[in-house]
Amino acid sequence: MNTFSRLLFSGLTLGAVLVLGGPVAAQPGSEPRILKLNHTDTPSGARHLAAELFAKRVEEFTRGKYRVLVFHSGQLGNDPQSIKAVAEGKLDFTASATGSFAGLVPELNLTALPYLVDSYEQGWRFYDESPWMRRQFDKLPAKGLHHLATWEAGFRSFTTRSPMIQPADAVGKKMRIFPNDMIKWIMESIGYEPVVIPVTEVYAAIQQGRVDGQENPIDTIRALRFNEVAPNIVLTQHVYSPLPFVASEALWLRLSAAEQESFQRAGKEAAALSRRLVRDADEKNLEAMRAAGAKIVRPDIAAFRKAMSSVYERAAKVYGGEVKAILVDARAP
């Protein structure tokens, strides 16, 4: 083929591409790079819907160069295992409660202080705009993680086998928790004996009577059907518990600046979806669980605030001035 023919062929090919809808992501003959995202929510939960949107947007924004496979229900590991795998570069993405990252950045324990924030809007402002929060997330790259966005899960409340109306009802009973000092101290402040169990094993643990119940946001309670084995849903809303969405730092450093922007943009779109889904579905989820036989209890929050206030004193002995610093940011107007 002579020079003129090659130029003519190239021009015709470009024209065909433009007519058919724009450039194709990958080079001819190349396959998209497969990335993996694992989480512990079920396919009906907001976390999974956010993950699916993230995967869709990544493929769109990178024009097919990357494809994200989403694994739900802890198929590739529970929350601590997923975080460890992402940090080691063996998994590409995960989303988990902020306190789950405290093993890498201990100060993140403080985000689980009881009644730190009182509304979704206050929580979103804190996670998106707080200098204190940014300082903690900026510590993650050295641990092998890169924070992309903060997805939503909601405010943590109890589901119990035994009736629970006031803090005294917790005394002498066992409560499942995830491995987090602040959550442990909260349970102890009202009399529970905290027991660490991976979330993927909690349903069976309650069913077998190993614990009296668990505490999680409403969306998670319904998605994992905890109301079936612990039918008292006690709306203490004691901890705001969103989900930092992280990528492997090893992956992040391999991306071009344009690719990084695409992944960040996809993560934030997924965050907006999860926030809307969780906030708007709280009452609908409660009504569905009530219709399925659960008892919805709206206790005297003041009694729980008072009982859990000792956690702040305990935290100050360990974290010093960080407690005051997070309070200033979390409660800023």
Side-chain angles (χ1 to χ4, degrees):
M1 183 182 293
N2 60 32
T3 301
F4 176 79
S5 298
R6 283 197 301 272
L7 291 172
L8 178 61
F9 178 77
S10 298
L12 291 172
T13 301
L14 175 61
V17 168
L18 293 173
V19 169
L20 291 174
V24 183
Q27 294 297 321
S30 68
E31 294 294 326
R33 179 176 175 186
I34 303 300
L35 303 175
K36 295 180 181 180
L37 188 166
N38 186 62
H39 66 81
T40 55
D41 205 357
T42 65
S44 64
R47 193 179 328 187
H48 185 67
L49 298 177
E52 288 191 320
L53 177 63
F54 174 76
K56 179 180 179 182
R57 290 292 186 258
V58 164
E59 191 161 5
E60 290 176 2
F61 296 159
T62 65
R63 299 180 179 180
K65 183 175 180 179
Y66 293 91
R67 182 182 174 203
V68 179
L69 301 182
V70 177
F71 296 85
H72 60 78
S73 307
Q75 291 172 298
L76 301 184
N78 60 35
D79 287 305
Q81 290 168 341
S82 296
I83 291 171
K84 184 174 185 290
V86 174
E88 294 175 348
K90 298 174 182 177
L91 179 67
D92 299 296
F93 309 98
T94 196
S96 186
T98 315
S100 296
F101 295 88
L104 299 174
V105 179
E107 290 79 6
L108 288 175
N109 270 315
L110 295 175
T111 62
L113 281 164
Y115 301 105
L116 182 66
V117 301
D118 297 317
S119 69
Y120 282 111
E121 291 74 17
Q122 183 186 3
W124 298 341
R125 186 169 59 249
F126 171 57
Y127 271 78
D128 291 349
E129 302 174 13
S130 159
W132 188 92
M133 202 72 246
R134 176 45 52 198
R135 286 197 299 273
Q136 311 319 312
F137 285 147
D138 284 347
K139 298 173 185 177
L140 290 175
K143 307 296 182 179
L145 304 173
H146 187 90
H147 176 250
L148 288 173
T150 300
W151 295 2
E152 190 55 87
F155 288 83
R156 303 180 81 87
S157 288
F158 293 99
T159 51
T160 61
R161 287 160 53 103
S162 305
M164 181 183 179
I165 300 174
Q166 56 189 342
D169 296 329
V171 176
K173 298 182 178 69
K174 294 181 179 181
M175 176 58 54
R176 176 270 169 181
I177 65 167
F178 70 97
N180 176 269
D181 283 347
M182 215 59 56
I183 298 294
K184 175 177 179 287
W185 296 348
I186 288 172
M187 298 306 110
E188 291 173 344
S189 74
I190 58 173
Y192 273 127
E193 178 187 340
V195 180
V196 174
I197 300 173
V199 72
T200 49
E201 301 173 21
V202 172
Y203 188 102
I206 299 173
Q207 191 174 45
Q208 295 161 7
R210 291 163 50 198
V211 290
D212 189 61
Q214 62 84 51
E215 50 88 56
N216 254 303
I218 293 168
D219 180 77
T220 305
I221 290 169
R222 186 183 179 196
L224 298 181
R225 309 189 339 267
F226 292 143
N227 56 291
E228 295 178 357
V229 288
N232 300 288
I233 302 176
V234 188
L235 298 175
T236 51
Q237 297 186 302
H238 48 277
V239 169
Y240 177 56
S241 187
L243 307 165
F245 177 60
V246 296
S248 164
E249 180 68 4
L251 166 66
W252 185 256
L253 293 176
R254 290 197 298 270
L255 300 175
S256 68
E259 290 167 347
Q260 289 177 347
E261 194 278 333
S262 293
F263 280 72
Q264 196 102 46
R265 181 180 165 198
K268 290 182 177 179
E269 282 199 23
L273 173 66
S274 69
R275 285 176 171 179
R276 184 172 67 251
L277 288 174
V278 171
R279 180 190 60 186
D280 295 350
D282 273 353
E283 290 302 322
K284 180 181 70 174
N285 283 331
L286 288 172
E287 186 53 42
M289 291 187 285
R290 188 203 310 273
K295 181 180 180 181
I296 310 300
V297 180
R298 298 181 187 273
D300 176 12
I301 296 298
F304 283 90
R305 281 182 182 270
K306 182 178 180 181
M308 295 177 184
S309 63
S310 62
V311 175
Y312 281 81
E313 299 170 13
R314 196 168 177 178
K317 292 177 181 178
V318 177
Y319 297 98
E322 293 290 351
V323 174
K324 182 178 180 180
I326 191 175
L327 282 171
V328 168
D329 277 18
R331 298 177 181 176

